[in-house]
Amino acid sequence: MWWRSAVIYQIYPRSFADANGDGIGDLAGVRAHLGYLKDLGVDAIWFTPWYLSPLADGGYDVADYRTIDPAFGTLAEAEALIAEALALGIRTIVDVVPNHVSDQHEWFQAALRAGPGSPERERFWFRPGGGPNGDEMPNNWVSNFSGDTWTRTTNPDGTPGEWYLHLFTPEQPDLNWNHPDVRREHEDILRFWFDRGVAGVRIDSAALLVKDSDLPEVPEHPAAGEHPNTDRDELHDIYRGWRAIADSYEGTRVLVGEIWLPDIERFAKYLRPDELHTAFNFDFLARPWDAAELRDSIDSTLAAHAPVHAPSTWLLSNHDVTRPVTRFGRSDSSFAFVKKRVGTPTDLALGTRRARAAALLTAALPGSLYLYQGDELGLQEVEDLPADRLEDPMHFRSGGVDPGRDGCRVPLPWNGIRPPFGFSPATAQQQPWLPQPASWASLTVEAQRSDPSSMLWLYTQALRLRREEAALGDGPFAWLPSHPGVLVFARGERFTSVTNLSAAAIALPAHDGVLLSSSPLRDGLLPPDSTAWLRTQRESPENRV
C-alpha cells in the first residue's frame, strides 16, 4: 500500500511555475517540471485547490469543482498532468473543501435570489437575526480567521435580510451537511475526480462539516463530541460513505484529512479502517525545537495510531504555516495561529541548521512524509512583502496583527540571478503575483542542484535513502538510550537516527558508517541542531513501539 510510506509533495499552483508569463503559476508550469519532482524522489503530488474560484481565500472558496480555474489552465490539461505524472511513478491528490463554497457558487447565488424559507437556502445556514430588529448575529461563534462568523444579507427591496454562517470569510458560506443535496454533491465530486485518475483527495477542515442544527453557543468546556461546530460524531458516517466510494475503485484511492484536534484519541477515530486512510499530524508540526516536546509528540502520535493500524504522517509546514527556516530560528519555535505576530525576530542561520536537522528527523520517522514546495530549497518566510501586494484574509481580518500566510506562498525560484528566477519565462510581461527576495539567487534549484552543502541536495539524498532503506517508511520503530536533549531511535536492525537538540556536540553511538548528516561532523562529533543517519549492527531492541 503505497500511501503508508509515501513522500507527498504539496504544490501551491499559483506559486510553483508560470509557463505563460502572466505572473501566476499554472498547470503547464507543473507539467514542465515533473522531471524535477521525479528526481527529487516524491511518490505523489498534492494540489491545493485548482478549481474555478474568485480567490477570496487562495482558492479555498470554490465556485465550481468540475472546472479548472482559467488562471491555471483547463480540465484537459489537468487530466494530461495526472496521466503524465503517473507515467513517471507520481500519483496525484486533489484538494476538496467540503465545509464551505464560494459566495459565487451557483447554489449560494440561487439561495440569495430565492429568499427566506426557500429550499435553496436550506443547503446553507441562513437564520434571522437576534434582538428586536434582527440586527444581532444569531450566535457568537468565533471565526478561524478572526472577526465575525455571520454576515447579514440585503433583501431585494433594500431592507436588511437574514444572516448566513461562515466559519471563515464572508465569501465562504458554510454548507449544511444535514441536507441530502450537500452529501450527494460531494460524493459526486469524489467520483468525478477518481474517474479522472486521481489517487486520492485531501479533505480541507475535515472536522468542521457538521453543525448542531440548533446552533447553540460554544460551551466553555465542551465534552467530547459536544462542540456545536467541531468534531461532531455524525462526521464519521459521512467519511464511511466516502471510504466506500474510494474503495469501489480499482487500486487504492486515499482519503487524507486536515484535522486540527488537541484530543489525540478523538483524532484517531477518523482513521478507523472504514474511514480516512491518513490525517495530517499537526501536533508534531506545532511543537517547539525541544527534544522532550518532540519525543512526547512522537510517542503520543504512534500510540494513537496503533489501535486503528493507520500510519502516522509527518510534516514541517504547509501553505498555512510559517516556513521552518524562519520558525526554528525564533526564541519560541512552536507554531500556533493565535501567536503569529508581525515583526517577530528570527535568526535565519540557526533556523536553517534546525530545519536541516528536522528534515532528516521527520524523514526517518515511521509512516508517510509531506513536503511543502520550497522547503526542499530552504526558503524562508518572506516577511517584508509590500502592503499593497498582500492578499491573505487572515491578515486583514486580524486588523494587521497577524502577518498572514502570503509569506510562505511566494513563487519558487528556479534559476537565474534575479527575479523572477525562472518562475516566469524571460519574455514575461507580468511580474510574479508576489515578489521574490533578491537574496533567493543563492537558493534557486539551479544554484543548489550540484551543491552538496545545499538544502536541495540534502533532501534529494534523504529521499533516495528513504527509498533504498527497507526499514524506513512504514514499519517498526524503537527508541534507543540517549542523553538529555538528544533523540536516538532505530528503524530495523541496521539503521539509527540521531538528532542533537542540546547545546553541545555529542559522540555518536557505535556505528559502521554515516549514511547522511545534516551538518558536517566535527572531530567525529555531531554538532548541536543536527541529525545523522547511521548504518548500525546490533541485536533486535526489545522496546518496540
Side-chain angles (χ1 to χ4, degrees), residues 32 38 41 98 100 151 166 234 315 358 423 451 461 495 505 507:
K38 179 177 175 57
H100 49 263
T151 291
H166 51 85
E234 301 93 321
L315 67 159
F423 169 72
D451 179 3
Q461 298 306 310
F495 183 96

Side-chain angles (χ1 to χ4, degrees), residues 60-379:
Y60 282 88
D61 48 317
V62 179
D64 185 347
Y65 273 108
R66 298 170 179 83
T67 301
I68 299 295
D69 195 285
F72 300 146
T74 65
L75 181 59
E77 285 184 283
E79 293 171 339
L81 192 162
I82 293 166
E84 290 164 4
L86 190 59
L88 295 175
I90 300 172
R91 294 172 169 87
T92 298
I93 296 172
V94 297
D95 218 315
V96 172
V97 192
N99 179 71
H100 49 263
V101 293
S102 166
D103 63 351
Q104 301 304 305
H105 191 283
E106 61 178 357
W107 278 8
F108 191 72
Q109 289 297 306
L112 292 178
R113 293 191 299 269
S118 63
E120 290 84 352
R121 290 202 171 188
E122 292 177 2
R123 295 166 171 162
F124 300 90
W125 295 101
F126 282 90
R127 291 292 186 273
N133 300 315
D135 55 3
E136 297 177 10
M137 292 186 295
N139 66 27
N140 296 295
W141 288 357
V142 176
S143 173
N144 292 301
F145 279 4
S146 303
D148 296 334
T149 54
W150 293 89
T151 291
R152 197 170 192 183
T153 62
T154 301
N155 293 322
D157 62 4
T159 59
E162 290 187 315
W163 298 71
Y164 68 88
L165 174 69
H166 51 85
L167 292 184
F168 296 88
T169 71
E171 294 85 4
Q172 295 166 288
D174 278 42
L175 291 164
N176 175 10
W177 273 83
N178 298 325
H179 198 291
D181 285 358
V182 174
R183 299 198 179 203
R184 277 194 300 267
E185 169 66 1
H186 283 82
E187 290 173 353
D188 287 346
I189 290 167
L190 291 183
R191 294 186 182 96
F192 181 88
W193 286 105
F194 287 154
D195 287 344
R196 279 153 183 79
V198 303
V201 296
R202 178 262 191 186
I203 306 162
D204 182 70
S205 300
L208 302 184
L209 279 56
V210 176
K211 280 78 173 174
D212 184 330
S213 57
D214 292 332
L215 304 178
E217 298 294 346
V218 178
E220 184 175 359
H221 300 290
E226 292 185 358
H227 194 289
N229 64 44
T230 303
D231 188 32
R232 304 284 298 174
D233 289 335
E234 301 93 321
L235 279 164
H236 298 286
D237 284 337
I238 293 171
Y239 294 134
R240 288 187 188 99
W242 287 25
R243 180 60 177 265
I245 293 172
D247 288 348
S248 71
Y249 282 79
E250 184 179 354
T252 303
R253 310 300 174 101
V254 298
L255 305 176
V256 183
E258 183 203 25
I259 301 174
W260 294 79
L261 289 179
D263 186 332
I264 198 75
E265 292 185 1
R266 294 285 298 183
F267 170 88
K269 288 182 181 295
Y270 291 86
L271 303 178
R272 289 175 288 197
D274 60 346
E275 295 189 43
L276 307 184
H277 294 78
T278 64
F280 289 102
N281 177 14
F282 292 114
D283 179 79
F284 182 83
L285 175 154
R287 298 290 184 116
W289 185 249
D290 175 85
E293 288 273 0
L294 294 178
R295 178 164 180 156
D296 178 70
S297 180
I298 293 167
D299 282 340
S300 60
T301 298
L302 296 178
H305 285 71
V308 291
H309 306 292
S312 305
T313 63
W314 308 98
L315 67 159
L316 295 174
S317 73
N318 61 26
H319 64 292
D320 291 332
V321 174
T322 306
R323 284 199 181 270
V325 164
T326 298
R327 190 171 77 247
F328 286 140
R330 291 179 167 163
S331 57
D332 180 358
S333 55
S334 64
F335 178 81
F337 287 108
V338 296
K339 295 193 306 182
K340 290 181 69 179
R341 293 291 183 270
V342 171
T344 304
T346 190
D347 179 341
L348 288 179
L350 175 63
T352 298
R353 286 198 304 275
R354 290 176 170 177
R356 289 173 63 90
L360 295 194
L361 170 63
T362 52
L365 291 169
S368 58
L369 176 67
Y370 280 81
L371 169 60
Y372 176 49
Q373 65 177 44
D375 282 354
E376 81 277 16
L377 303 178
L379 302 184

Side-chain angles (χ1 to χ4, degrees), residues 488-502:
V488 184
F489 56 84
R491 300 300 314 282
E493 305 306 317
R494 304 194 62 225
F495 183 96
T496 296
S497 177
V498 182
T499 302
N500 181 11
L501 297 93
S502 73

Side-chain angles (χ1 to χ4, degrees), residues 41-42 45 77 110 175 233 239 302 350 388 427 465 514 516 531:
V42 305
I45 46 180
E77 285 184 283
L175 291 164
D233 289 335
Y239 294 134
L302 296 178
L350 175 63
D388 63 351
T427 56
L465 286 167
V514 177
L516 190 60
T531 296

